[in-house]
């Protein structure tokens, strides 16, 4: 507080202190305070008493008090947190410090301003001397950008003024969030303030740049008050040009505007494409003459909005008015696209018809029609459109239709729609009132029978879910009101081949606005799925009578759910996976809307999970877990799985397990929303497979890690018991050379990278019965995958106490070793199987790999291969008469087949000097029966001699001579068991 002293001298100062050392607020803005001591001038002495209390959103606080009797002005202001973004969100932040010095007496005063931050500086000198106020110096600079100026104002008579300024290498991005620029311009403003504001503004832009485009322009505008304007303005930016000229003289206008912007991207304002428009307006609003045209091939707007094929035109000549707008497409975002939009208005200002049509996405057609006219209720008030909404319809999954014409009034001051009925799908909506003004808005209404998609599918029995409700809201000094949505009838069906209903009994959602808060409640009850309730409260923000919810608004609420059965999830999990059990959840909702913090507990009982194809049945599951934000911490997830009897009990007579069931226990953290996951598991005599062709029980520990779309699994497992049997034959399947090309994009996409490191010990009770091999397998394998996601195995499997059955004979496996050193499908083989207890112990030895095996016959003592084969198959030497040849050849083809050029079959064929030795089933009509052997020899290029004989019956056999007379005529003669002569003629059809 400062009063005038005896000498009549007054002085004061304003100091701005930036609290740089103080903690920053949530927006990163420091607090600072402004303290003022006031300067009293002679003109203030005539003011009446004044008392002003300042408070705006807790930013500026304080008061101004003028006490006329004491000639004292008190000013106490405090700015707690002043963020430039509260004035305009595009402003660049600055931490300003400095001082403002005030000095003078009742005749002369002066002020010196010096404010700065790290890169910004504002200096100004202002002086008053008698009847003149002068801005002697003004300089705003940040980095290389400068704005300078000077001017004067006479305080008497017409109060004339002059102001000049310059932009020097001015980069607007230094002050607001926009594109870089380099502007150089001069500004001249002159005129007088009384009896009305009158003057002239001149500007020139030279050698400037906006983004990467050159900028120039000039203009001169004369004004007399705010209703009389005349002049010309031009701006060139790259290839784009704006030209405006004309006059506005009271109610009479003559204005022309031309915009030719073929390359909007040159402006760097977040726009691209092209825009051309021309506007001519003459006369007055009572008797206008307006012509407007606009075209654009493509217009890209901020926030990924896009317009294409735009054309618009308008004519308003006295009372006649016409408007046409069309656009090929308008894309607001990826999920919303408007196509073939047209809007027309035709008639007079007092009565016209408005229609609009559009297609939304692929399946919704919108249609709107209204009739009415423009009128001016009172002189000086804005124009108001009054009429009726006569048609409103939309097709699609939820069709909408206006039931009857509804009164509609639209102006800049208010929008009103009342008593409107809409048919929506199978239900209806009734809008009793909808009223909006810049200061407030209110609405109320109700709805009933609204079918919520997805409803019941066509082949499902039952009624789809239908909702009803009511709302009423009033926004004035406070936002108050309520919205209630509840289930009226029907049920919700889960998708699937057989749609499953949820068994809804109650579904209700309620939102209430009161006392500056918005609260919501949700209730759900299903006799099949269970119950769930949720409640949340958050504060409302008011800005210029508009209510909104800030993303930084704090949340307060809770969630409770009890799921009585998980069976409804089975159709979503596929035919192989079945689940069941009960879950309970209790959680609290905290944090902010931008970053909610949901934490609580999850428990489960009676959980079960079945993988039908693998024969895995996890039962009696229990879950204890807690979660916070995006992490689920599994304290313990435990399952048991009963032991099924092995397919062959003979092999497991002495198997002793701990109990009648095995177990699986999982602990760790499951990251949600992309967070890493870390799970540890322990299995104890857990059945890994219960099927007819394999049966495995194992124990061990392992861990699974999931981070950044990569899974790693490691562990150490040991089989307690296992049996692999011959899989059933005849299973349908695709050949290896078949490639599916019509799979979905998700199936063709690259699989998630997997890092595998798993050790598997077969233990002491792992048996095999397949392809004639029966015995026990031992050994240990290490499973890993390489960078190309190919599975690699390292380790050795050995057969113990094994036998190999072939042609009714049991061969003892003396040595059976399978060694893995890389690919899963190509291990190395080292197998020896012999027939024991005979004078010559003969057998088979297999070496090489699965893909490239090397098979040979061995015996002790060493005998020829034909004799080795006879000892294996017949248990004796071969008959010298050659009657055993066919049997031995068949056995050789089975045991030693696939070794082209060096097998025993090739050796026998070469020894006999024939071209063919084959075994096949006798054909229909042949005198031979059962399996027959064929020996053939080509005599010439046209003649082929063969001998056929049954292997199971004592017959003479048949000798055939086949002779090709021509490529299409063949003579076949045969003698022996059945003699005949046949003539064959061949006809081919394309």
């Amino acid at each position: 507080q400062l009063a005038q002293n005896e000498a009549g001298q007054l002085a004061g100062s304003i100091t701005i202190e930036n609290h740089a050392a103080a903690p920053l607020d949530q927006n990163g803005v420091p607090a600072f305070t402004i303290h003022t001591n006031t300067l009293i001038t002679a003109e203030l002495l005539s003011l009446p008493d004044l008392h002003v209390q300042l408070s705006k959103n807790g930013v500026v606080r304080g008061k101004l008090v003028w006490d006329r009797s004491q000639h004292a002005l008190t000013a106490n202001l405090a700015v707690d947190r002043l963020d430039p973004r509260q004035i305009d969100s595009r402003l660049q932040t600055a931490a300003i410090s400095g001082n403002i010095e005030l000095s003078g007496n009742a005749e002369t005063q002066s002020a010196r301003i010096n404010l700065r931050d790290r890169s910004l500086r504002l200096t100004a000198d202002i002086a008053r001397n008698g009847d003149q106020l002068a801005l002697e110096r003004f300089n705003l600079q940040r980095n290389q950008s400068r704005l300078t100026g000077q001017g004067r104002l006479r305080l008497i008579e017409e109060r004339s003024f002059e102001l000049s300024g310059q932009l020097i290498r001015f980069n607007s991005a230094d002050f607001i969030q926009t594109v870089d620029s380099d502007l150089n311009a001069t500004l001249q403003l002159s005129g007088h303030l009384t009896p009305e504001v009158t003057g002239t503004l001149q500007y020139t832009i030279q050698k400037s740049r906006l983004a990467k485009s050159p900028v120039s322009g000039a203009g001169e505008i004369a004004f007399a008050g705010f209703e009389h304007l005349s002049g010309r303005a031009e701006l060139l930016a790259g290839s784009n040009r704006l030209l405006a000229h004309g006059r506005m003289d009271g109610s009479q206008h003559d204005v022309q505007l031309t915009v030719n912007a073929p390359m909007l991207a040159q402006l760097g304002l977040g726009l691209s494409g092209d825009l051309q428009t021309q506007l001519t307006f003459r006369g007055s609003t009572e008797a206008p003459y307006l012509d407007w045209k606009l075209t654009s091939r493509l217009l890209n707007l901020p926030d990924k909005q896009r317009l294409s094929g735009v054309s618009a035109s308008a004519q308003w000549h006295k009372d006649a008015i016409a408007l046409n707008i069309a656009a090929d497409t308008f894309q607001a975002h990826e999920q919303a696209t408007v196509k073939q939009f047209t809007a027309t208005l035709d008639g007079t200002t007092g009565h016209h018809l408005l229609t609009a049509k559009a297609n939304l996405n692929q399946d919704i057609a919108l249609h709107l029609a209204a009739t009415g006219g423009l009128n001016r209720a009172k002189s000086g008030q804005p124009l108001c459109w009054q009429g009726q909404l006569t048609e409103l319809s939309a097709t699609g999954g939820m069709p909408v239709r206006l039931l009857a014409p509804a009164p509609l009034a639209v102006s800049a001051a208010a929008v009103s729609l009342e008593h409107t009925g809409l048919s929506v799908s199978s239900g209806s909506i009734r809008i009793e009132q909808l009223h909006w003004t810049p200061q407030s808005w209110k609405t109320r209404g109700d709805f009933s029978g609204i079918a919520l998609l997805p409803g019941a599918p066509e082949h499902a029995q039952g009624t789809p879910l239908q909702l009803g409700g009511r709302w009423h809201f009033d926004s004035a000094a406070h936002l108050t009101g309520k919205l209630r949505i509840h289930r009226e009838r029907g049920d919700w069906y889960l998708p699937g081949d057989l749609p499953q209903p949820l068994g809804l009994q109650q579904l209700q959602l309620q939102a209430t606005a009161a006392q500056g808060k918005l609260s919501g409640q949700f209730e759900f009850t299903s006799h099949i799925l269970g119950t769930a309730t949720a409640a949340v409260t958050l504060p409302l923000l008011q800005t210029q009578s508009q209510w909104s919810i800030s993303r930084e608004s704090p949340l307060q609420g809770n969630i409770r759910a009890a799921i009585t059965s998980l069976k409804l999830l089975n159709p979503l999990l596929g035919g192989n996976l079945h689940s069941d059990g009960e879950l309970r959840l209790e959680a609290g909702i905290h944090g902010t809307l931008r970053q909610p913090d949901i934490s609580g507990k999850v428990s489960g009982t009676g959980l079960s999970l079945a993988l039908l194809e693998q024969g895995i049945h996890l039962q009696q599951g229990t879950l204890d877990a807690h979660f916070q934000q995006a992490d689920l911490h599994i304290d313990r997830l435990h399952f048991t799985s009963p032991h099924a009897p092995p397919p062959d009990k003979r092999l497991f007579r002495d198997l002793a397990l701990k109990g009648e069931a095995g177990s699986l226990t999982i602990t760790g953290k499951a990251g949600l929303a992309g967070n890493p996951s870390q799970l540890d598991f322990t299995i104890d005599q857990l059945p890994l497979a219960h099927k007819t062709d394999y049966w495995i029980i194992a124990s061990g520990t392992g861990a699974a890690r999931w981070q950044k779309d990569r899974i790693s699994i490691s562990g150490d497992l040991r089989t307690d018991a296992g049996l692999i049997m011959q899989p059933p034959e005849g299973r349908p399947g695709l050949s290896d050379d078949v490639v599916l090309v019509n799979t979905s994009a998700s199936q063709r996409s690259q699989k998630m990278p997997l890092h595998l490191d798993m050790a598997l010990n077969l233990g002491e009770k792992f048996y095999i019965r397949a392809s004639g091999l029966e015995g026990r397998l031992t050994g240990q394998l290490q499973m890993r995958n390489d960078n190309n996601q190919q599975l690699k195995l390292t380790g050795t499997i050995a057969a113990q106490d094994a036998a190999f059955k072939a042609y009714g004979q049991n061969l003892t496996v003396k040595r059976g070793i399978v060694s893995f050193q890389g690919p899963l499908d190509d291990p190395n083989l080292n197998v020896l199987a012999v027939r024991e207890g005979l004078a010559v112990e003969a057998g088979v030895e297999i070496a090489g790999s699965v893909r490239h095996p090397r098979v040979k016959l061995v015996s002790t003592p060493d005998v020829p291969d034909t004799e080795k084969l006879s000892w294996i198959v017949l248990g004796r030497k071969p008959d010298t008469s050659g009657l055993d040849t066919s049997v031995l050849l068949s056995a050789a083809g089975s045991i030693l087949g696939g070794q082209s050029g060096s097998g025993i079959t090739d050796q026998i064929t070469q020894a006999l000097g024939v071209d063919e030795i084959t075994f096949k089933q006798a054909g229909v009509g042949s005198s031979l029966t059962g399996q027959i052997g064929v020996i053939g020899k080509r005599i010439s290029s046209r003649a082929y001699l063969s001998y056929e004989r049954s292997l199971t019956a004592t017959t003479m056999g048949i000798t055939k001579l086949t002779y090709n007379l021509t490529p299409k005529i063949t003579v076949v003669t045969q003698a022996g068991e059945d003699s005949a002569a046949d003539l064959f003629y061949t006809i081919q059809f394309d």
Side-chain angles (χ1 to χ4, degrees):
Q1 181 175 347
L2 179 66
Q4 186 175 11
N5 58 23
E6 296 179 355
Q9 296 179 342
L10 302 172
S13 65
I14 300 176
T15 303
I16 300 176
E17 300 175 354
N18 177 25
H19 297 193
L24 304 181
D25 71 357
Q26 62 185 4
N27 292 321
V29 179
F32 64 90
T33 306
I34 300 176
H35 305 285
T36 67
N37 289 324
T38 64
L39 169 66
I40 300 178
T41 68
E43 293 184 0
L44 289 176
L45 301 179
S46 61
L47 289 175
D49 291 345
L50 179 67
H51 187 283
V52 179
Q53 190 76 24
L54 298 177
S55 177
K56 183 179 181 181
N57 296 334
V59 175
V60 180
R61 296 180 292 105
K63 62 182 179 179
L64 292 172
V65 179
W66 164 248
D67 189 342
R68 181 179 181 184
S69 62
Q70 298 295 326
H71 294 173
L73 177 64
T74 303
N76 292 313
L77 302 177
V79 181
D80 294 332
R81 286 177 172 85
L82 182 58
D83 187 351
R85 290 172 289 184
Q86 293 175 318
I87 303 172
D88 190 326
S89 60
R90 297 171 300 173
L91 288 175
Q92 302 285 12
T93 59
I96 299 175
S97 301
N99 59 76
I100 302 174
E101 298 179 359
L102 307 175
S103 62
N105 51 39
E107 295 296 328
T108 63
Q109 298 91 35
S110 64
R112 299 177 64 87
I113 302 174
N114 190 355
L115 303 176
R116 65 172 60 86
D117 76 345
R118 293 181 180 179
S119 59
L120 183 144
R121 182 174 182 180
L122 172 62
T123 59
D125 293 337
I126 305 173
R128 177 189 178 187
N129 188 357
D131 59 2
Q132 182 169 289
L133 179 65
L135 176 61
E136 298 176 346
R137 179 173 64 100
F138 176 85
N139 184 74
L140 174 64
Q141 183 172 353
R142 190 168 197 174
N143 301 325
Q144 299 296 321
S145 301
R146 289 181 60 194
L147 170 61
T148 64
Q150 57 276 334
R152 66 176 182 83
L153 170 66
R154 292 184 62 84
L155 303 177
I156 60 174
E157 297 177 351
E158 294 182 342
R159 295 199 174 188
S160 62
F161 61 87
E162 294 179 359
L163 179 65
S164 63
Q166 281 187 301
L167 290 176
I168 304 172
R169 302 200 63 184
F170 193 85
N171 185 2
S172 52
D174 287 338
F175 300 91
I176 63 175
Q177 297 177 11
T178 185
V179 296
D180 289 333
S181 61
D182 185 354
L183 303 178
N184 298 277
T186 59
L187 176 72
Q188 296 288 338
L189 178 64
S190 61
H192 53 80
L193 300 180
T194 58
E196 65 177 355
V197 179
T198 305
T200 302
L201 170 65
Q202 296 177 330
Y203 72 89
T204 303
I205 304 174
Q206 295 178 340
K207 298 181 180 180
S208 298
R209 176 181 56 82
L210 179 63
K212 296 181 180 180
S213 301
V215 176
S216 63
E220 181 176 347
I221 302 173
F223 55 91
F226 296 100
E227 296 184 353
H228 303 277
L229 297 173
S230 64
R232 175 186 176 91
E234 184 178 18
L235 179 64
L236 299 175
S239 303
N240 308 289
R241 183 188 184 193
L242 181 146
L243 176 63
H245 61 89
R247 63 181 180 85
M248 299 175 59
D249 190 3
S251 61
Q252 296 296 316
H253 305 82
D254 186 359
V255 178
Q256 292 187 8
L257 172 67
T258 301
V259 175
N260 184 13
M263 299 191 66
L264 289 171
Q266 293 177 347
L267 302 179
L269 301 177
L271 302 174
S272 63
D274 66 287
L275 179 66
Q276 296 80 28
T277 184
Q278 292 180 337
L279 172 68
T280 300
F281 182 68
R282 299 189 183 95
S284 64
T285 55
E286 286 77 12
Y289 181 90
L290 181 143
D291 275 327
W292 172 62
K293 294 181 179 180
L294 181 145
T295 59
S296 175
R297 293 188 302 273
L298 180 63
L299 185 60
N300 292 317
L301 305 175
D303 299 327
K304 297 183 179 180
Q305 300 182 78
R306 179 174 179 171
L307 276 164
S308 65
V310 181
S311 64
S313 64
Q315 293 83 36
W316 189 1
H317 299 167
K318 294 184 179 181
D319 195 42
I321 186 170
L323 173 67
N324 292 277
I325 301 175
D328 290 342
T329 61
F330 170 65
Q331 188 168 2
H333 49 77
E334 294 180 356
Q335 284 75 32
T337 301
V338 179
K339 296 182 178 181
Q340 304 302 321
F341 171 79
T342 60
T344 61
L345 185 150
D346 190 25
T348 64
T349 56
H351 182 76
H352 49 253
L353 172 64
L354 171 66
T355 61
K357 296 180 180 180
N359 295 323
L360 180 61
N361 294 337
Q362 299 294 332
D363 56 348
I364 300 177
L366 304 175
H367 189 195
L368 179 145
T371 60
L374 294 171
N375 62 71
R376 196 185 300 271
K378 294 182 181 179
S379 178
Q381 290 188 352
L383 288 174
C384 176
W385 187 93
Q386 286 186 323
Q388 285 187 330
L389 184 62
T390 59
E391 184 177 355
L392 176 62
S393 63
T395 63
M398 296 185 68
V400 178
R401 181 175 56 86
L402 182 68
L403 296 177
L408 175 64
V410 180
S411 71
V415 176
S416 178
L417 178 66
E418 297 182 352
H419 307 298
T420 304
L422 297 171
S423 169
V424 180
S425 189
S426 59
S428 62
I429 297 178
R430 185 165 57 98
I431 303 175
E432 299 175 5
Q433 182 187 42
L434 175 60
H435 187 74
W436 172 90
T437 68
Q439 293 76 32
S440 64
W441 58 269
K442 56 184 176 181
T443 179
R444 68 175 183 271
D446 57 56
F447 54 93
S448 177
I450 304 299
L452 187 62
L453 298 177
E458 295 181 358
H459 53 282
Q461 299 296 325
T463 304
L465 177 62
Q466 296 181 7
L467 303 178
R470 182 171 181 81
W471 79 89
H472 64 88
F473 288 98
D474 191 345
S475 169
H478 300 283
L479 178 63
T480 59
K482 182 180 293 184
L483 167 65
R484 181 176 181 269
I485 304 173
H486 64 275
R487 169 185 173 270
E488 289 184 334
R489 66 185 68 85
D491 208 341
W492 184 285
Y493 289 78
L494 293 177
D497 295 336
L498 295 175
Q500 298 294 319
L502 289 182
L504 282 178
Q505 296 172 308
Q506 181 185 21
L507 178 65
Q508 178 173 298
L509 175 65
Q510 182 170 296
T512 305
Q515 299 178 351
K517 294 181 179 180
L518 179 64
S519 59
Q521 296 83 35
F522 173 77
E523 297 180 8
F524 171 91
T525 303
S526 165
H527 72 271
I528 295 178
L529 192 59
T531 62
T533 61
V536 65
T537 302
L538 65 164
L540 293 168
L541 298 180
Q542 183 182 18
T543 55
Q544 299 178 352
S545 300
Q546 299 296 322
W547 296 92
S548 62
I549 300 174
S550 171
R551 299 188 67 183
E552 306 300 333
S553 299
L555 298 175
Q556 188 69 33
N558 60 77
I559 302 174
R560 289 183 174 85
I563 301 175
T564 57
S565 176
L566 297 176
K567 288 184 178 179
L568 281 178
L569 298 179
N570 293 337
L572 304 178
L573 299 176
N576 182 44
L577 189 61
H578 281 195
S579 64
D580 198 1
E582 298 183 10
L583 286 177
R584 293 186 178 273
L585 180 146
E586 293 185 2
I589 304 174
H590 305 284
T592 64
L593 195 61
R594 179 192 298 271
Q595 188 174 2
D597 182 4
I598 303 178
S599 58
K601 298 186 298 182
V602 181
S603 61
T605 57
L607 303 177
S608 65
L609 191 65
L611 281 76
L612 302 181
E613 292 182 1
Q614 289 74 25
I616 298 177
H617 297 272
L618 302 177
Q619 303 175 359
Q620 301 177 1
T622 59
L623 171 66
D624 291 313
H626 66 279
F627 60 91
Q628 185 171 9
Q629 290 185 340
D631 288 328
L632 175 64
H633 299 269
I634 301 176
D635 301 318
R636 187 173 187 267
L637 175 59
H638 182 76
F639 288 97
T640 62
S641 182
H643 295 143
D648 189 345
K649 296 182 180 181
R650 175 179 55 85
L651 299 175
F652 300 97
R653 294 173 182 173
D654 57 346
L655 177 63
L657 299 176
K658 296 180 181 178
E660 297 181 354
S663 65
L664 167 66
T665 304
I666 299 175
T667 60
K669 181 185 73 172
L672 309 177
N675 289 355
S677 299
Q678 301 177 359
L679 298 177
D680 299 320
F681 63 88
T682 300
I683 59 175
D684 184 13
Q685 295 187 351
L686 181 72
L688 296 182
H690 275 173
K691 297 198 68 177
T692 57
D693 49 348
Y694 51 88
W695 178 85
I696 301 173
I697 296 176
S699 301
T701 60
R705 301 291 184 265
W706 183 4
Q707 185 174 11
K708 293 182 179 180
D709 296 331
R710 181 180 178 87
I711 298 178
S712 61
I713 301 177
S714 61
D716 190 354
L717 303 182
R718 177 184 178 89
T719 58
D720 300 286
L723 174 61
I724 298 178
M725 302 181 66
Q726 181 78 30
E729 296 182 357
R731 290 182 177 178
L734 294 176
S735 174
D736 294 336
D737 59 350
V738 175
V739 179
L740 297 179
V741 297
N742 59 341
T743 56
S744 62
S746 60
Q747 292 173 320
R748 293 194 304 265
S749 60
Q750 185 177 4
K751 296 181 180 180
M752 183 175 296
L754 171 66
H755 176 70
L756 182 66
D757 188 0
M758 184 74 70
L760 175 62
N761 191 324
L762 298 184
E764 298 299 326
K765 295 184 179 298
F766 196 96
Y767 297 92
I768 184 172
R769 289 179 55 190
S771 300
L773 178 65
E774 180 175 335
R776 183 169 60 90
L777 301 180
T778 61
Q780 182 163 325
L781 297 176
Q782 190 74 27
M783 293 179 287
R784 295 186 178 91
N785 60 339
D786 58 17
N787 295 331
N788 296 324
Q789 300 300 304
Q790 297 295 323
L791 187 63
K792 305 290 184 180
L793 291 184
T794 304
T796 301
I797 297 177
Q800 304 289 338
D801 306 324
F804 184 80
K805 180 175 290 187
Y807 278 84
Q809 308 299 328
N810 290 324
L811 305 183
T812 302
V813 178
K814 294 286 189 178
R815 180 175 69 249
I817 300 174
V818 181
S819 177
F820 293 88
Q821 297 295 332
L824 176 65
D825 57 350
D826 194 26
N828 294 323
L829 303 176
N830 188 352
V831 179
L832 174 62
V834 299
R835 184 175 180 179
E836 296 181 318
L838 300 175
V840 175
E841 294 186 348
V844 179
E845 185 178 58
I846 306 174
S849 66
V850 168
R851 291 183 181 178
H852 305 285
R854 299 190 303 273
V855 183
K856 68 176 182 178
L857 300 177
V858 296
S859 66
T860 303
D862 190 20
V863 295
D865 286 348
T866 303
E867 190 173 343
K868 294 175 184 175
L869 190 60
S870 179
W871 283 105
I872 296 175
V873 177
L874 304 177
R876 56 177 173 77
K877 277 186 173 185
D879 192 340
T880 56
S881 64
L883 295 178
D884 297 334
T885 301
S886 62
V887 177
L888 297 181
L889 287 174
S890 178
S894 173
I895 298 175
L896 307 175
Q899 303 184 73
S900 177
S902 61
I904 186 64
T905 55
D906 292 325
Q907 296 178 22
I908 296 176
T909 300
Q910 294 173 5
L912 296 177
V914 296
D915 295 324
E916 176 189 11
I917 300 179
T918 57
F919 303 91
K920 62 182 181 180
Q921 191 69 23
V924 178
S926 175
S927 58
L928 303 179
T929 60
Q931 191 175 18
I932 63 175
V934 180
I935 299 177
K937 175 68 175 179
R938 180 164 295 280
I939 302 174
S940 68
S941 61
R942 293 188 177 188
Y944 188 81
L945 181 66
S946 63
Y947 175 74
E948 300 178 1
R949 181 170 180 173
S950 176
L951 300 178
T952 58
T954 57
T955 59
M956 295 177 58
I958 297 175
T959 302
K960 287 184 178 182
L961 176 63
T962 303
Y963 189 84
N964 295 324
L965 294 176
T966 69
K968 295 184 178 181
I969 300 176
T970 303
V971 177
V972 179
T973 60
Q974 65 181 38
E977 186 70 23
D978 186 14
S979 300
D982 299 291
L983 178 66
F984 294 92
Y985 185 83
T986 303
I987 301 177
Q988 295 182 345
F989 299 93
D990 292 335

